[in-house]
Amino acid sequence: QVQLVESGGGLVQPGGSLRLSCAASGIILGINTMGWYRQAPGKQRELVADITRIDTTTYADSVKGRFTISRDNAKNAVYLQMNSLKPEDTAVYYCQMNLVQYGSAWRDYWGQGTQVTVSS
């Protein structure tokens, strides 16, 4: 059974920084793409950033230059460094991993979500 556990959310003032972490537990053969998504109240879930197994990254235009995604394959973990935060970054942030276990096909797993609130 795979679980993705996130941490690092919270309340921060505009212009501040937060670092989100997400680690996968369980017997995992391999992980392909890891990503961070967010969902604000009344809006659809959107991609924030993702990173492939060869460290190719993609960012939403709204976070380019402010957010940095990274991964640690030895720890089955993905991180999101968020700088220069704005009120419009307020949302629940979800990590996602495309991974495979013994005897299973590749599939997407999701974390439970962590709240990020940017407010003065």
Side-chain angles (χ1 to χ4, degrees):
Q1 192 80 355
V2 171
Q3 280 192 317
L4 272 57
V5 180
E6 300 150 349
S7 60
L11 172 64
V12 65
Q13 291 187 341
S17 298
L18 283 174
R19 185 175 188 252
L20 304 183
S21 301
C22 174
S25 62
I27 301 175
I28 298 169
L29 269 181
I31 304 178
N32 195 358
T33 301
M34 300 180 176
W36 288 96
Y37 290 72
R38 68 186 181 187
Q39 187 167 17
K43 294 188 176 182
Q44 289 189 330
R45 189 175 297 189
E46 62 174 359
L47 174 69
V48 177
D50 65 21
I51 182 167
T52 69
R53 64 169 71 186
I54 57 170
D55 289 342
T56 301
T57 57
T58 302
Y59 294 94
D61 287 343
S62 58
V63 307
K64 283 180 182 176
R66 300 188 297 123
F67 291 10
T68 302
I69 190 170
S70 60
R71 63 190 283 169
D72 185 333
N73 293 323
K75 296 181 179 180
N76 290 336
V78 62
Y79 310 97
L80 186 68
Q81 178 66 43
M82 304 185 293
N83 299 327
S84 303
L85 282 160
K86 304 175 181 180
E88 51 264 42
D89 294 317
T90 296
V92 178
Y93 284 70
Y94 300 88
C95 72
Q96 171 265 338
M97 296 187 188
N98 181 253
L99 60 84
V100 65
Q101 293 187 285
Y102 286 104
S104 298
W106 289 89
R107 55 158 287 194
D108 289 340
Y109 289 83
W110 293 86
Q112 80 284 0
T114 185
Q115 177 70 46
V116 171
T117 302
V118 184
S119 175
S120 54

